[in-house]
Amino acid sequence: AMPTTATSPVPWYLRARMQDSITKNQLALQQVEAQQQRARAEALQAGLASEANKAPPQQGHHNQAALLFSFPEESFYNAANLIQGIQNCVLYRLNTCTSVCLVCDGPLGYAGSKVGICSKDLCQHTSHRFGINTDLVTELTRCGIVCELLLNLTRCAATSGITRDTFEPMCPVNISDTLALTATLNATATTSGSDTSISQQPTQPAHFYTETYGVGTKDFALIGATIDSIPSIDELVAAAKGSNARLKEYLNKVSGPLAYPLLQWVISSNHAHVEPVPPQHKIPFLGTDHQFYLVSDNPEKERQFREYKRRAQKANADGVGSFYAWHGSSAGNWHCILRNGLRNYSGTRLMSTGQVYGAGVYFAKSVQTSVPYMGQPQRAWANSHSIDWMVDANGAGGEVAATSKGLMVISLCEVIKAATGWKDHENSIITVQDENLIATRLLFVYPHGQPNPQNVPLSVLR
């Protein structure tokens, strides 16, 4: 029989572990409360007092701060019975799965609509070595057009990174151990004189840094060349025949050992839900068939967004809680946006178009106003077929001439019409300082150079 106390049915060997977990939980909650107090103080200083006090933490399972640090074991062992304990643990995981690392359970910097892996080397190694977080063949087969879009945008980020680095997050792929093992096998086979000896391979790069992994300069040329060496989606699916092992073997043969882990990372590191818009729902005024639904937030953040919208509808005299606005950004920026969300990077190195109208995320009421913010067409993935593009013979590398063909991207977002946190500059330009007021809705890709969209009637957007 397991020793227990009269006051607690918890087995003695779990009591110390639970107490340690509860202590850590209390410390974490204190840190969250301190962060919330600092955020409210900053909001008050910025003149956002009404917005800071408008949304107090809610009780129950909607309190995200409590959820992130409510330890599963405590919920399990404090339950009335085994079934309820299991249910508590499952609910905990469902509500926090996009906010914490899938491997180590550590908090992620951005809680998107998909599960993710943190930047720790061990977590990245585990993810890429064992295929955690994504079934590559399934993704390529089920939503090849989305995979093609992700490859194109990552290629654009590598292209633009040569002149302005927006390649965040950086690809963590490092196959040094694999190459070292291969070299050892080669040396052993050669020494033994075996007929099955593996031929010596020339020295190959093991990661995407020019020097030491993680501290050297990012090798954008190698990233771009590796992506360009990857065959088309159709060829990948045909070669895989339903097997990730076959796909890896095929890519190692035709593209080199970095291609498969790079492709795996491009697909799995995307935190947004991207889905092609059905033909019957496409907006005909925008001059492109490449239209995608784009959902960047997890269910909890979307719930908060709708609550803010409901409050704005109730507070505004016109009864309108939100409006739609356009956000144009260089194609090279969307690799970062899909993984980190649409953020206020004013005053940082990731700021791309300045801050003439002050800090904030810039939007426009008219799509024509956002077109110049899309920048020049960007050179994309060489083997892209569905999202077809082409660069003139004279448009080598980097940004191509406006007369050439290349990738350009614009998005349609929903913005809360709150009392504070955003500003209408009365010239079609809108700046939003509070990122919680923004929700991405649609993404439009122009693979053939300069777009010429028309104004979209409000009735179509609604």
Side-chain angles (χ1 to χ4, degrees), residues 85-96:
I86 294 175
Q87 178 183 352
N88 290 343
C89 290
V90 171
L91 288 176
Y92 164 84
R93 175 53 58 217
L94 289 176
N95 281 279
T96 62

Side-chain angles (χ1 to χ4, degrees), residues 69-82:
F69 300 99
S70 58
F71 198 77
E73 288 186 10
E74 181 185 353
S75 300
F76 181 82
Y77 291 112
N78 286 348
N81 53 58
L82 177 64

Side-chain angles (χ1 to χ4, degrees), residues 385-405:
H385 289 175
S386 298
I387 305 176
D388 190 21
W389 71 281
M390 185 175 291
V391 180
D392 291 346
N394 296 328
E399 294 183 344
V400 299
T403 56
S404 302
K405 294 180 178 181

Side-chain angles (χ1 to χ4, degrees), residues 294 297 302 305-306 309-310 313 320-327 342 363 411-417 432 434-442 461-462:
L294 174 59
D297 298 330
E302 179 67 24
F305 181 87
R306 297 192 181 195
K309 180 178 177 179
R310 184 189 66 80
Q313 284 177 324
V320 177
S322 68
F323 59 89
Y324 288 96
W326 301 91
H327 179 79
L342 198 54
F363 294 93
S411 67
L412 182 66
C413 302
E414 187 176 2
V415 180
I416 299 296
K417 193 178 178 183
V432 181
D434 186 351
E435 298 169 358
N436 292 321
L437 304 181
I438 304 170
T440 55
R441 297 307 186 200
L442 291 166
L461 299 182
R462 291 295 179 186

Side-chain angles (χ1 to χ4, degrees), residues 285-291 326 331 367 371 374 377-378 387-389 405-411 443-454:
F285 306 95
L286 294 173
T288 178
D289 286 331
H290 301 292
Q291 304 183 14
W326 301 91
V367 63
V371 167
M374 297 165 69
Q378 292 281 346
I387 305 176
D388 190 21
W389 71 281
K405 294 180 178 181
L407 214 62
M408 300 181 74
V409 182
I410 194 171
S411 67
L443 190 71
F444 304 92
V445 179
Y446 294 86
H448 301 133
Q450 194 71 22
N452 186 26
Q454 305 174 27

Side-chain angles (χ1 to χ4, degrees), residues 305-349:
F305 181 87
R306 297 192 181 195
E307 176 62 19
Y308 288 149
K309 180 178 177 179
R310 184 189 66 80
R311 291 177 178 175
Q313 284 177 324
K314 190 174 181 179
N316 294 334
D318 57 6
V320 177
S322 68
F323 59 89
Y324 288 96
W326 301 91
H327 179 79
S329 189
S330 171
N333 295 338
W334 285 95
H335 165 84
C336 177
I337 294 173
L338 291 182
R339 289 156 180 80
N340 297 321
L342 198 54
R343 311 291 293 274
N344 179 5
Y345 287 121
S346 297
T348 71
R349 68 175 184 82

Side-chain angles (χ1 to χ4, degrees), residues 107-423:
L108 297 174
Y110 173 71
S113 62
K114 292 186 176 182
V115 294
I117 307 295
C118 71
S119 59
K120 296 187 186 73
D121 289 342
L122 181 58
C123 295
Q124 292 291 339
H125 171 81
T126 303
S127 172
H128 297 299
R129 175 57 62 89
F130 302 107
I132 296 176
N133 192 29
T134 183
D135 183 337
L136 198 50
V137 171
T138 299
E139 292 292 327
L140 294 172
T141 304
R142 184 178 62 86
C143 46
I145 183 66
V146 174
C147 296
E148 188 164 335
L149 173 66
L150 296 176
L151 277 168
N152 272 291
L153 295 179
T154 302
R155 180 63 174 91
C156 287
T159 299
S160 64
I162 298 174
T163 56
R164 191 179 70 86
D165 180 10
T166 59
F167 204 98
E168 294 288 345
M170 175 55 180
C171 179
V173 167
N174 185 359
I175 58 171
S176 299
D177 55 345
T178 302
L179 295 181
L181 177 60
T182 302
T184 301
L185 292 174
N186 287 344
T188 303
T190 303
T191 302
S192 65
S194 171
D195 294 337
T196 60
S197 62
I198 305 173
S199 61
Q200 293 288 340
Q201 298 291 333
T203 302
Q204 301 182 42
H207 48 72
F208 294 104
Y209 290 89
T210 57
E211 300 168 4
T212 305
Y213 174 78
V215 297
T217 305
K218 299 175 183 178
D219 195 341
F220 295 115
L222 179 58
I223 296 173
T226 304
I227 292 178
D228 284 341
S229 71
I230 298 175
S232 68
I233 299 296
D234 291 340
E235 292 178 69
L236 294 177
V237 172
K241 298 179 181 178
S243 168
N244 285 300
R246 287 197 192 96
L247 177 60
K248 183 176 182 179
E249 181 181 1
Y250 171 70
L251 281 175
N252 287 345
K253 180 179 179 181
V254 301
S255 303
L258 281 173
Y260 181 84
L262 174 60
L263 176 62
Q264 187 180 47
W265 175 76
V266 169
I267 305 304
S268 65
S269 63
N270 169 42
H271 289 172
H273 174 74
V274 185
E275 180 182 339
V277 176
Q280 66 272 22
H281 293 155
K282 289 183 178 180
I283 301 177
F285 306 95
L286 294 173
T288 178
D289 286 331
H290 301 292
Q291 304 183 14
F292 300 86
Y293 292 120
L294 174 59
V295 180
S296 299
D297 298 330
N298 60 17
E300 171 63 18
K301 193 171 181 182
E302 179 67 24
R303 184 199 64 78
Q304 293 176 354
F305 181 87
R306 297 192 181 195
E307 176 62 19
Y308 288 149
K309 180 178 177 179
R310 184 189 66 80
R311 291 177 178 175
Q313 284 177 324
K314 190 174 181 179
N316 294 334
D318 57 6
V320 177
S322 68
F323 59 89
Y324 288 96
W326 301 91
H327 179 79
S329 189
S330 171
N333 295 338
W334 285 95
H335 165 84
C336 177
I337 294 173
L338 291 182
R339 289 156 180 80
N340 297 321
L342 198 54
R343 311 291 293 274
N344 179 5
Y345 287 121
S346 297
T348 71
R349 68 175 184 82
L350 293 176
M351 180 178 67
S352 58
T353 55
Q355 46 183 340
V356 176
Y357 296 97
V361 184
Y362 278 59
F363 294 93
K365 299 176 184 177
S366 167
V367 63
Q368 282 89 352
T369 305
S370 283
V371 167
Y373 289 87
M374 297 165 69
Q376 293 296 320
Q378 292 281 346
R379 179 170 183 168
W381 178 30
N383 293 314
S384 178
H385 289 175
S386 298
I387 305 176
D388 190 21
W389 71 281
M390 185 175 291
V391 180
D392 291 346
N394 296 328
E399 294 183 344
V400 299
T403 56
S404 302
K405 294 180 178 181
L407 214 62
M408 300 181 74
V409 182
I410 194 171
S411 67
L412 182 66
C413 302
E414 187 176 2
V415 180
I416 299 296
K417 193 178 178 183
T420 56
W422 68 286
K423 185 175 181 180

